Amino acid sequence: MDSEKEKISLLSNLKFSSFEKLNENFLKAKAYVLALGKNANRSHFSKENVDRAYPSLAYAPVIGHLMVDDNGVYHLGGHDYYLDMKDLKLKSQCVPFGVVVPSETPVYEDVTEENGNVSTYLTCEVILWISRYPELADAFYSDSVFTNQSMEIIYSNSTPLKDDPTYTDIIDFSFDALCMLQKSDDDKFNVTPCFPSASIVPITYSIDKNEFSSLMGELKEELSLYFSKNNSDEKGGKVNLDEKLEILQKFNKTIEDLDFSIDDMSVEELSAKMEELFGEKEPKAEPIAFSATYKEKRQALQNALDPIVVKDAEGNYVEETYFYIEDFSDEYVFVEKDHWTANDYDCKYGRFAYTFDEATRTATISSEFEEMVKVWLTLDEKAKVDEERASYETKYSDLEKEFSDYKAEHSFLDSEFNVLKEYKENKEVEERKCAEDALFADYEETIGETEEFKSLKEKASEFSLDALKKECLCIVGMYSMTNKTKETNKSDSLKFSLEPEVSEDEPYGGLMKRYLGK
């Protein structure tokens, strides 16, 4: 959306019925404003959204362009303009015929359409200004007369309808005006609204502000006279409205400019009120805005969440992604993410992290989309969740307190810790030295004089006791193999001895006597 609020005109059939002539100035009528649900103009209104916008319907102007043909027959025109030759600007010919009568609660009524379908319509009472436009009564004083209505609304949020994206669901809006357009079987007099029926198209429609305000002010003053007179007659007195209007004129104001009622105020009260609101005052220094308003930040976030539209090489839409703001905090913006393709639709909820520049009033999305779960709870379910959460928080708080108390009872000074640490380190060094000495003593006799054993003792701290023992065994093994080799070499030497002379007188050459002793 280019801006936070757009004005659009929606075609609907506006019917007037139940006419009641209040006096020579005003004619009261009942108006059927809009139908709930899907409409032929592809818009969709839910009762919930209409109820929320209903207060803005109060005092909405009923406008149109009353025309007369060559036969003296009056009929309505459309959004008609004329060229003002003085300033060469197009100006609207629509004027206020009346206003919507305010009511505290909306009223709905089921209406059977020409095709037999039953539609639920929002209704309201309007007052038409027949003393200024007497021909209007002739044109509409019939229960069977319908007109095309270009209902003008100002909306800030809309989305394709979830169960049928060909319709647009109007979510947040306010009523701006009810514009009556001629409906006739004769195409010459039938006025088509100013947008295609297949879609909702924003338009620029502007009534000359000064002229319109003047007419609305005059209309409201006439209405005030009527209602004030009736109220005064019931109370047995008459309020001096002329004095009140003089007070308003003194401050260059009309009844339309006020956001409060003057009916029950005395002349003195009204004078004091106007002096308080519009009297000359000492100029005040312009306040400095230290932070963005909620509206500014929401608009900045909406601007940062541009829709993602993908087209193919021929310019056809392939997919679209739109982001609708649900809420936001100082750190995150929470959104509904709607994704459309030609054959599918997907809706997810989640959040983006963002930053906000107070100087430029701009927001920047600073993270990827993080999907979240949106849960709907009944009041009972919400109460249960809150109760369980409070219970968990209480338990956590109790555990924190217990831990804090434990630390307070079992804590010691850094100096005490250092003494214990030093004692432990010295004890470990002493025990290690004793273990090393005992280990080396076992091998001192065997390999004590070897260079390898002496070197091992110097760097003993680099080894664990088990590794140190293995190193000693390796040295023992190495020297054992060296000594064995030397002994082997000795046994392999050849020995020669001279045999004694053999006596020829002894049997077997003296062998028996020599070895057997016989």
Side-chain angles (χ1 to χ4, degrees):
M1 208 179 294
D2 293 336
S3 62
E4 182 175 354
K5 293 186 178 181
E6 300 282 353
K7 179 186 285 190
I8 61 174
S9 296
L10 299 177
L11 169 63
S12 62
N13 289 330
L14 174 64
K15 176 184 177 182
F16 292 99
S17 66
S18 305
F19 291 94
E20 176 187 349
K21 190 173 183 180
L22 300 179
N23 58 17
E24 296 302 320
N25 292 324
F26 301 111
L27 181 70
K28 185 169 72 172
K30 181 178 182 180
Y32 294 77
V33 181
L34 63 83
L36 299 181
K38 297 179 178 179
N39 291 280
N41 55 27
R42 316 305 293 182
S43 65
H44 177 273
F45 290 89
S46 69
K47 184 175 183 300
E48 176 186 2
N49 294 335
V50 174
D51 286 347
R52 190 166 57 251
Y54 179 73
S56 64
L57 185 60
Y59 297 111
V62 180
I63 63 175
H65 178 206
L66 191 62
M67 305 170 65
V68 61
D69 60 21
D70 296 337
N71 298 321
V73 177
Y74 286 91
H75 59 89
L76 286 167
H79 290 294
D80 300 327
Y81 292 82
Y82 70 95
L83 179 62
D84 190 336
M85 300 305 295
K86 295 180 180 179
D87 53 12
L88 296 179
K89 291 184 179 180
L90 287 175
K91 296 185 178 180
S92 175
Q93 292 180 294
C94 292
V95 296
F97 291 139
V99 295
V100 175
V101 179
S103 174
E104 292 184 0
T105 57
V107 178
Y108 295 93
E109 184 176 323
D110 290 339
V111 176
T112 301
E113 309 283 11
E114 293 180 0
N115 59 8
N117 295 333
V118 177
S119 301
T120 301
Y121 275 80
L122 170 67
T123 67
C124 67
E125 289 186 341
V126 299
I127 293 181
L128 303 178
W129 197 6
I130 57 175
S131 63
R132 170 59 70 94
Y133 307 102
E135 301 83 1
L136 192 63
D138 297 334
F140 288 97
Y141 203 95
S142 170
D143 193 50
S144 62
V145 172
F146 286 78
T147 68
N148 279 335
Q149 180 222 164
S150 186
M151 179 185 66
E152 296 191 354
I153 65 173
I154 298 175
Y155 76 98
S156 58
N157 190 11
S158 66
T159 182
L161 189 62
K162 290 185 177 181
D163 59 359
D164 188 352
T166 61
Y167 284 81
T168 297
D169 190 20
I170 308 298
I171 300 175
D172 295 319
F173 69 96
S174 61
F175 293 94
D176 190 52
L178 302 181
C179 182
M180 298 181 295
L181 308 175
Q182 179 72 16
K183 181 179 181 181
S184 171
D185 293 333
D186 188 345
D187 291 338
K188 178 181 178 181
F189 298 105
N190 191 59
V191 178
T192 303
C194 57
F195 63 92
S197 61
S199 62
I200 297 177
V201 181
I203 63 166
T204 301
Y205 176 67
S206 175
I207 298 173
D208 183 87
K209 183 176 180 180
N210 294 331
E211 180 183 358
F212 188 86
S213 297
S214 176
L215 288 172
M216 282 299 296
E218 186 178 348
L219 170 59
K220 286 187 176 182
E221 288 177 4
E222 290 285 344
L223 284 172
S224 178
L225 286 170
Y226 168 76
F227 287 116
S228 297
K229 180 178 183 303
N230 286 350
N231 292 337
S232 300
D233 290 343
E234 292 175 1
K235 296 176 183 179
K238 182 176 180 180
V239 179
N240 191 343
L241 287 179
D242 290 338
E243 292 186 39
K244 292 185 179 182
L245 295 177
E246 288 178 4
I247 293 174
L248 297 183
Q249 186 176 5
K250 173 184 174 182
F251 292 92
N252 196 26
K253 300 293 180 183
T254 65
I255 294 177
E256 179 194 4
D257 298 326
L258 305 180
D259 58 1
F260 58 90
S261 173
I262 67 173
D263 296 341
D264 297 329
M265 301 178 70
S266 66
V267 173
E268 291 76 13
E269 290 172 338
L270 177 60
S271 179
K273 182 75 172 179
M274 295 298 291
E275 185 66 37
E276 175 187 351
L277 295 176
F278 307 109
E280 293 185 3
K281 300 176 183 178
E282 291 292 330
K284 294 183 179 180
E286 187 70 21
I288 300 175
F290 289 99
S291 61
T293 64
Y294 175 88
K295 179 180 177 182
E296 286 176 326
K297 186 170 285 189
R298 186 183 183 91
Q299 180 60 51
L301 287 168
Q302 189 65 66
N303 292 337
L305 292 167
D306 288 332
I308 302 172
V309 179
V310 179
K311 298 181 181 180
D312 60 19
E314 298 178 354
N316 300 316
Y317 287 90
V318 177
E319 59 178 313
E320 299 175 74
T321 304
Y322 292 88
F323 304 98
Y324 302 100
I325 297 177
E326 298 279 328
D327 199 358
F328 61 88
S329 64
D330 291 338
E331 185 177 1
Y332 295 102
V333 54
F334 303 92
V335 301
E336 174 186 318
K337 177 183 177 183
D338 291 349
H339 177 254
W340 282 274
T341 63
N343 303 313
D344 192 22
Y345 164 76
D346 182 48
C347 175
K348 295 180 179 179
Y349 295 94
R351 68 183 183 181
F352 290 98
Y354 75 94
T355 58
F356 187 79
D357 190 330
E358 292 283 354
T360 61
R361 294 293 196 270
T362 56
T364 303
I365 301 301
S366 58
S367 75
E368 297 296 326
F369 177 76
E370 181 181 1
E371 188 172 357
M372 302 177 70
V373 177
K374 185 175 182 180
V375 180
W376 294 90
L377 300 175
T378 64
L379 293 178
D380 291 340
E381 291 169 339
K382 175 66 165 55
K384 185 176 180 180
V385 170
D386 289 342
E387 181 181 353
E388 292 177 351
R389 179 177 295 171
S391 176
Y392 292 143
E393 290 176 351
T394 301
K395 291 179 180 178
Y396 179 75
S397 178
D398 291 343
L399 286 174
E400 277 192 322
K401 185 177 184 305
E402 289 180 13
F403 181 64
S404 178
D405 294 342
Y406 177 83
K407 288 195 300 182
E409 294 173 1
H410 296 80
S411 62
F412 48 83
L413 300 176
D414 288 344
S415 58
E416 295 174 341
F417 174 79
N418 291 334
V419 171
L420 291 173
K421 181 180 179 183
E422 183 179 357
Y423 173 79
K424 180 177 180 294
E425 290 175 350
N426 292 336
K427 184 66 175 176
E428 289 175 346
V429 170
E430 182 181 348
E431 290 176 351
R432 169 73 183 203
K433 184 68 170 61
C434 291
E436 288 179 3
D437 291 345
L439 178 62
F440 290 140
D442 292 340
Y443 298 95
E444 188 71 36
E445 183 178 352
T446 308
I447 56 174
E449 298 302 324
T450 64
E451 293 298 327
E452 289 81 4
F453 186 69
K454 293 176 181 178
S455 176
L456 180 62
K457 291 173 69 176
E458 292 177 357
K459 56 182 181 180
S461 61
E462 299 177 9
F463 300 89
S464 67
L465 291 176
D466 288 339
L468 202 59
K469 185 175 182 179
K470 290 179 181 179
E471 291 294 322
C472 289
L473 289 173
C474 287
I475 298 173
V476 171
M478 182 177 65
Y479 276 91
S480 296
M481 291 298 295
T482 302
N483 293 334
K484 183 177 180 181
T485 302
K486 291 180 180 179
E487 292 176 0
T488 302
N489 292 337
K490 286 182 180 181
S491 62
D492 290 341
S493 61
L494 296 176
K495 296 181 180 180
F496 299 94
S497 63
L498 297 176
E499 294 289 338
E501 294 181 1
V502 177
S503 175
E504 293 180 1
D505 296 334
E506 294 294 330
Y508 301 100
L511 291 176
M512 294 292 289
K513 182 179 180 181
R514 180 181 177 188
Y515 291 102
L516 298 178
K518 296 179 181 181

